[in-house]
Amino acid sequence: MMITLKEAAEKIKAANKILITAHVLPDGDAIGSTLAAMQILRNIGKTAQIFIDDTVRKNLHVLPHFEEIRRPVDGEKFDADLLLILDTSPERIGNVRKLTDAPILNIDHHVTNSGKDYDLYLEHEAAATCEIVFKLAKELNAEITSDIATCLYTGIATDTGFFQFSNTTAQTLHTAAELIDCGVKPNFISEELEKRSAAEVQGMKIALNSLKFFYDGKVAGMFIDLETMKTFVDSTEGFIDLIRVIDGVDVAFLISEKAEKFCRVSMRSKGVDVSKIANSLGGGGHIRAAGCTLYTTLEDAEKILIEAIGKAL
Ligand code: 5GP
Ligand code: MN
């Protein structure tokens, strides 16, 4: 069920012990929004703990309180009276779902989130979930410390490609400016997030070598096989930006084979609604940035994806 920000704040006020989570394959917005929410809730007197059912890209480990994030272990239970899910619908939180039966409060900015069977505050015009958490903090009269601001700024910066993508609005920049007033050092965050190991740049080289064009150059794709993933790549975040920029390309994609018959797909677009393509393949996301998982070989994943993109063009 869709609820308002005020109602979301009321649900938080009424709770005492809050379990916070975000999506598997967490990005800057998932980690930034959960870390910020944890600190905000603690500062208004709540007990709050983050669980994320995945490993997190090394660059994000520098964020304040990162070391407090836990990963659920088999059979574990967590005593909570509210499950706060950020930056995704409840289907993408892995085994965190098994930790508690507490009612769900979902806060998200993905158009593909339906809000069916759970309370959802959705703001699809928000560039990042962190932008919404900032508003939530104000609704809760919580102070934005410099640590909280750092986490929120990180999510906004990463989800907007550092204020370059079409989701960047005046509101986004006003929020970023306020966060800088609260103590964020933008250059620190940029420098930490752009760091890559030498091996990973080698991985990028291999990925670029696999570049292929489809549909008269309107679509460009890269492919990373399992061997390359294992040897070189900690995270593929940012790889797709290498080809998203090609003149004439509307849809860019990256398929990375993360395990046997487990291919992750990332898509970026300049026009076509890739969230619809991702949705048709069991995934989701935004109009210009979306993804899905294809449980098949790299070869078949390519065929399936090219066909789906072809239908959308
Ligand atoms: P990325 O390509 O950076 O992994 O994802 C782009 C956007 O699509 C992100 O907002 C991400 O949360 C969303 N997304 C990626 N993969 C999936 C998926 O499998 N399911 C859903 N619902 N959203 C996804
Ligand atoms: Mn996000």
Side-chain angles (χ1 to χ4, degrees):
M1 190 179 76
M2 296 292 179
I3 61 170
T4 63
L5 185 63
K6 215 178 184 68
E7 286 167 335
E10 290 308 323
K11 287 187 188 295
I12 285 171
K13 283 183 201 159
N16 287 307
K17 213 167 171 195
I18 304 168
L19 194 172
I20 307 168
T21 192
H23 55 86
V24 293
L25 299 166
D27 55 14
D29 193 27
I31 298 301
S33 62
T34 50
L35 283 172
M38 179 178 79
Q39 297 170 75
I40 291 164
L41 297 184
R42 285 180 181 174
N43 290 351
I44 60 164
K46 309 294 177 186
T47 300
Q49 174 63 47
I50 302 171
F51 279 89
I52 292 193
D53 191 17
D54 213 336
T55 53
V56 180
R57 183 183 174 200
K58 277 200 200 73
N59 307 48
L60 294 168
H61 294 203
V62 298
L63 289 181
H65 296 275
F66 176 82
E67 68 289 348
E68 292 189 57
I69 297 179
R70 293 180 51 197
R71 190 170 180 171
V73 291
D74 251 356
E76 188 178 2
K77 291 282 170 203
F78 186 83
D79 173 31
D81 49 23
L82 188 68
L83 172 58
L84 176 60
I85 302 176
L86 299 172
D87 200 36
T88 180
S89 53
E91 299 93 63
R92 286 185 80 213
I93 62 171
N95 283 327
V96 173
R97 201 70 199 84
K98 297 180 187 158
L99 285 171
T100 178
D101 294 322
I104 290 172
L105 171 59
N106 190 191
I107 296 179
D108 191 13
H109 69 133
H110 289 92
V111 272
T112 44
N113 194 339
S114 70
K116 201 170 165 281
D117 309 326
Y118 47 90
D119 288 327
L120 168 66
Y121 178 63
L122 182 80
E123 219 180 278
H124 67 88
E125 324 79 47
T129 300
C130 281
E131 219 178 286
I132 313 174
V133 172
F134 178 74
K135 285 173 138 178
L136 178 70
K138 291 196 163 176
E139 192 67 47
L140 291 165
N141 285 319
E143 186 203 347
I144 309 278
T145 63
S146 90
D147 277 359
I148 292 170
T150 297
C151 296
L152 292 176
Y153 183 93
T154 299
I156 296 172
T158 51
D159 264 22
T160 56
F162 285 81
F163 312 103
Q164 295 182 67
F165 300 156
S166 60
N167 57 355
T168 308
T169 62
Q171 183 62 50
T172 314
L173 294 174
H174 284 305
T175 304
E178 273 194 60
L179 293 172
I180 292 170
D181 277 339
C182 295
V184 174
K185 299 268 174 289
N187 66 309
F188 166 78
I189 295 170
S190 308
E191 283 157 24
E192 289 301 328
L193 288 178
E194 72 187 5
K195 269 185 202 165
R196 288 197 181 276
S197 65
E200 206 154 282
V201 176
Q202 299 282 354
M204 277 184 164
K205 206 166 87 180
I206 298 171
L208 266 182
N209 261 329
S210 74
L211 174 64
K212 275 207 252 180
F213 292 94
F214 308 86
Y215 302 112
D216 298 325
K218 286 195 202 67
V219 177
M222 292 196 295
F223 308 84
I224 308 181
D225 63 19
L226 190 53
E227 208 41 54
T228 308
M229 278 302 301
K230 277 195 204 149
T231 319
F232 296 105
V233 183
D234 170 36
S235 154
T236 55
E237 209 168 303
F239 278 40
I240 198 165
D241 297 321
L242 296 168
I243 61 169
R244 182 180 58 79
V245 296
I246 300 170
D247 196 17
V249 166
D250 184 346
V251 179
F253 69 81
L254 169 72
I255 310 182
S256 29
E257 189 181 21
K258 296 227 162 176
E260 206 73 50
K261 297 210 169 184
F262 184 96
C263 291
R264 279 289 310 161
V265 175
S266 271
M267 283 182 279
R268 299 291 183 270
S269 113
K270 295 181 194 134
V272 170
D273 184 348
V274 285
S275 77
K276 284 196 184 138
I277 303 173
N279 219 214
S280 76
L281 298 172
H286 310 284
I287 295 173
R288 296 212 153 87
C292 60
T293 303
L294 296 172
Y295 300 92
T296 181
T297 61
L298 197 54
E299 233 180 14
D300 281 349
E302 173 180 342
K303 281 186 203 137
I304 293 165
L305 184 64
I306 290 302
E307 197 185 307
I309 294 173
K311 277 187 199 148
L313 280 177

